[in-house]
């Protein structure tokens, strides 16, 4: 059953606690790669399920901090450009994983905002395409939210905003495979957690 959480600051302890032991959309690309990185991710999530504590310390960096600062500006620019009002929510849990959307739009949409460096924003504007490295997260957002579309938003101050819509109906095959993959990895995480718990 889908759970939507509001009025919880992203990055707060309460927000971090909601994510413990859960596959999240920001790491979909890790499990899609299905390699050593995926197994490391599984180990971390198994630890969180066993202990109820985070397996990582998020030190952040200058660029991610800047991304957080620019997100409200990007949201406002999106609203001006499209005429939509964006509803902010903190976290969505559904189908055994979680997602922190950058906003819900209308009754059937949502947005995913990426703050970009100037050279990257111009590259996106010139190509008119969503960078491939973001498609896994968009698929995850559509699956977790059960919404019909997601607007990818690339933003950089002093440059035009880039908005491109992705419809769930056009990504059915990728989304179905992702759903199967999440189920598979949740079983693995639980198996690892059980294996380690038996060693106490």
């Amino acid at each position: 059953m889908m759970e939507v959480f509001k009025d919880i600051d992203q990055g707060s302890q309460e927000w971090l606690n909601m994510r413990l032991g859960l596959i999240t959309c920001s790491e979909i690309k890790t499990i899609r790669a299905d390699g050593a990185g995926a197994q490391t991710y599984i180990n971390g999530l198994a630890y969180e399920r066993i202990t109820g504590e985070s397996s990582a310390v998020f030190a952040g960096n200058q660029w991610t901090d800047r991304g957080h600062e620019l997100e409200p500006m990007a949201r406002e620019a999106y609203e001006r450009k499209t005429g939509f009002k964006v509803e902010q929510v903190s976290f969505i849990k559904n189908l055994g994983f979680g997602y922190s959307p950058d906003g819900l739009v209308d009754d059937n949409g949502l947005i995913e905002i990426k703050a970009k460096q100037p050279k990257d924003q111009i590259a996106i504007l010139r190509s008119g395409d969503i960078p491939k490295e973001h498609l896994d997260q968009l698929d995850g957002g559509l699956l977790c939210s059960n919404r019909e579309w997601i607007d990818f938003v690339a933003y950089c101050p002093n440059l035009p905003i880039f908005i491109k819509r992705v419809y769930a109906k056009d990504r059915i095959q990728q989304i179905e495979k992702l759903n199967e993959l999440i189920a598979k990895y949740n079983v693995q995480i639980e198996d690892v957690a059980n294996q380690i718990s038996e060693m106490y």
Side-chain angles (χ1 to χ4, degrees), residues 179-192:
N179 195 20
E180 293 170 3
L181 197 60
I182 288 167
K184 167 188 162 183
Y185 273 93
N186 271 319
V187 169
Q188 286 192 35
I189 295 162
E190 200 60 26
D191 286 347
V192 173

Side-chain angles (χ1 to χ4, degrees), residues 89-104:
V89 298
S90 306
F91 196 64
I92 299 173
K93 285 185 184 180
N94 194 23
L95 302 170
F97 74 120
Y99 177 48
S100 297
D102 292 323
L104 304 181

Side-chain angles (χ1 to χ4, degrees), residues 21-70:
L22 273 181
I23 295 168
T24 59
C25 283
S26 58
E27 294 294 337
I28 292 295
K29 62 185 177 185
T30 303
I31 64 169
R32 271 238 165 106
D34 205 21
Q39 292 305 310
T40 299
Y41 185 49
I42 283 174
N43 292 342
L45 292 178
Y47 173 85
E48 292 178 356
R49 292 188 187 187
I50 294 166
T51 65
E53 297 177 359
S54 176
S55 64
V57 177
F58 298 97
N61 59 48
Q62 186 177 10
W63 185 248
T64 57
D65 291 344
R66 183 169 184 260
H68 291 307
E69 291 171 8
L70 292 177

Side-chain angles (χ1 to χ4, degrees), residues 83-126:
F84 283 121
K85 180 69 178 169
V86 177
E87 178 190 1
Q88 289 183 249
V89 298
S90 306
F91 196 64
I92 299 173
K93 285 185 184 180
N94 194 23
L95 302 170
F97 74 120
Y99 177 48
S100 297
D102 292 323
L104 304 181
V105 184
D106 207 11
D107 293 328
N108 296 307
L110 64 160
I111 60 170
E112 182 63 41
I113 297 169
K114 297 297 179 187
K116 292 292 181 181
Q117 297 188 39
K119 61 183 176 60
D120 297 324
Q121 183 75 1
I122 288 176
I124 292 169
L125 291 165
R126 289 180 67 189

Side-chain angles (χ1 to χ4, degrees), residues 77-190:
Y78 172 87
E79 290 181 331
R80 286 195 305 271
K81 181 87 170 178
T82 64
F84 283 121
K85 180 69 178 169
V86 177
E87 178 190 1
Q88 289 183 249
V89 298
S90 306
F91 196 64
I92 299 173
K93 285 185 184 180
N94 194 23
L95 302 170
F97 74 120
Y99 177 48
S100 297
D102 292 323
L104 304 181
V105 184
D106 207 11
D107 293 328
N108 296 307
L110 64 160
I111 60 170
E112 182 63 41
I113 297 169
K114 297 297 179 187
K116 292 292 181 181
Q117 297 188 39
K119 61 183 176 60
D120 297 324
Q121 183 75 1
I122 288 176
I124 292 169
L125 291 165
R126 289 180 67 189
S127 72
D129 292 325
I130 299 169
K132 289 181 179 178
E133 65 263 26
H134 299 306
L135 290 175
D136 287 337
Q137 189 173 8
L138 299 182
D139 289 341
L142 287 166
L143 176 62
C144 191
S145 68
N146 197 30
R147 295 215 154 203
E148 293 178 6
W149 54 264
I150 185 167
D151 277 347
F152 173 81
V153 178
Y155 179 79
C156 180
N158 305 317
L159 286 171
I161 191 171
F162 175 84
I163 303 168
K164 189 159 187 175
R165 184 162 296 177
V166 176
Y167 288 94
K169 63 182 176 61
D170 297 329
R171 304 281 299 173
I172 289 172
Q173 187 175 4
Q174 293 91 338
I175 290 170
E176 285 178 351
K177 285 183 179 177
L178 179 57
N179 195 20
E180 293 170 3
L181 197 60
I182 288 167
K184 167 188 162 183
Y185 273 93
N186 271 319
V187 169
Q188 286 192 35
I189 295 162
E190 200 60 26

